[in-house]
Amino acid sequence: MDIILRANGVGLTYGTEQAVSNADFTLKRGEVAAIMGSSGSGKSSLLYCLAGVLPPTSGTVTFDGVQLSHLPDGELSALRRTRLGFVFQYGELLPELTVEENTALPLRLAGISKAHAHVMAGQVLKRLGMGDLLRRRTSKLSGGQSQRVAVARALVHRPDVVFADEPTGALDSVNAAAVLREFLQLARRQKTAVVIVTHDAEVAAKADSQYTMSDGVLTQRVAA
Ligand code: ADP
Ligand code: MG
């Protein structure tokens, strides 16, 4: 099956606030999908549902043929850990760990030995131009460097899908463009599908599919 992720009629409400309404979404293996939309339109909420972080109030999310709501909690978190990756707006690294340790975390959690995990982390970090800073604590990095580590950590275990929620929100536009370009290149090289929330129209234009979120309603933009 070519479809790795599918949402059917997904809705999410917080109390009386309808953050996402009836969203349909499909993602093929290796596809890059961009979601744009103003602040408060429901982009993060949709991502949480797609990634199995929050159960939708209505509708279904299916990952590789399995409906997420049918999975017991333990299996869902194992799936998130092994087959999904995440990049957030502010990186969210562990400041006391080194670049290499932060990047290796998903592998260590999957039971891979420290030595092997660090070799794999080093390879991804090198691709992202961070090969000289492996032993540095991430509390000592610049914003752009931190974001590269967050990207490396999200891709190191070669997940099927990476969810990136405004992944360069904390960077100036030059740095943001560079990090995003490398992120998408690396994802494509290892055939990881990406769902990226971005304000950057140039990044969105490079994606395979484009969506807009407005007042909780997701609309696919059709190429002109
Ligand atoms: P975006 O990521 O596009 O900025 P969000 O998904 O964060 O939008 O938010 C969509 C709507 O849901 C907003 O009106 C926001 O205030 C509301 N919202 C988000 N998270 C919560 C929450 N935990 N509790 C209540 N309302 C929330
Ligand atoms: Mg958001």
Side-chain angles (χ1 to χ4, degrees):
M1 191 57 172
D2 204 20
I3 305 283
I4 185 71
L5 185 70
R6 184 191 293 280
N8 281 113
V10 162
L12 182 69
T13 56
Y14 302 104
T16 56
E17 165 92 29
Q18 178 99 27
V20 180
S21 308
N22 200 28
D24 292 324
F25 179 80
T26 54
L27 188 70
K28 296 196 187 107
R29 288 186 186 276
E31 179 177 353
V32 175
I35 302 176
M36 302 188 78
S38 55
S39 179
S41 60
K43 305 180 299 295
S44 294
S45 300
L46 174 66
L47 229 52
Y48 296 148
C49 292
L50 294 177
V53 173
L54 286 180
T57 323
S58 55
T60 57
V61 177
T62 307
F63 174 82
D64 201 10
V66 177
Q67 200 174 308
L68 294 184
S69 64
H70 289 169
L71 288 175
D73 283 352
E75 284 183 38
L76 180 59
S77 46
L79 183 150
R80 278 210 307 266
R81 235 180 13 245
T82 56
R83 303 194 59 192
L84 307 180
F86 301 88
V87 193
F88 299 103
Q89 189 166 7
Y90 298 107
E92 299 181 16
L93 303 172
L94 300 175
E96 288 309 307
L97 297 187
T98 65
V99 164
E100 171 177 69
E101 288 164 344
N102 265 282
T103 305
L105 266 182
L107 301 170
R108 298 290 286 134
L109 289 172
I112 292 172
S113 75
K114 183 171 168 180
H116 189 199
H118 281 202
V119 169
M120 291 171 76
Q123 286 169 353
V124 180
L125 287 162
K126 216 175 278 172
R127 287 235 167 85
L128 291 164
M130 291 292 291
D132 294 335
L133 297 171
L134 300 183
R135 302 284 151 75
R136 184 165 296 183
R137 281 184 207 282
T138 53
S139 55
K140 301 271 189 328
L141 298 179
S142 73
Q145 291 168 338
S146 299
Q147 209 64 41
R148 278 167 213 268
V149 179
V151 164
R153 188 179 59 184
L155 292 171
V156 72
H157 54 309
R158 298 181 169 262
D160 291 298
V161 183
V162 168
F163 297 92
D165 196 354
E166 304 189 41
T168 56
L171 303 183
D172 63 80
S173 57
V174 173
N175 250 308
V179 174
L180 279 174
R181 204 168 45 237
E182 287 152 12
F183 168 42
L184 294 179
Q185 263 174 18
L186 199 50
R188 285 196 192 278
R189 186 174 315 180
Q190 60 183 51
K191 300 210 164 36
T192 291
V194 177
V195 185
I196 183 169
V197 170
T198 179
H199 289 294
D200 189 330
E202 277 180 43
V203 169
K206 290 203 186 82
D208 302 306
S209 50
Q210 289 89 20
Y211 295 81
T212 307
M213 195 82 178
S214 176
D215 271 335
V217 177
L218 183 72
T219 311
Q220 182 164 13
R221 287 195 285 170
V222 181

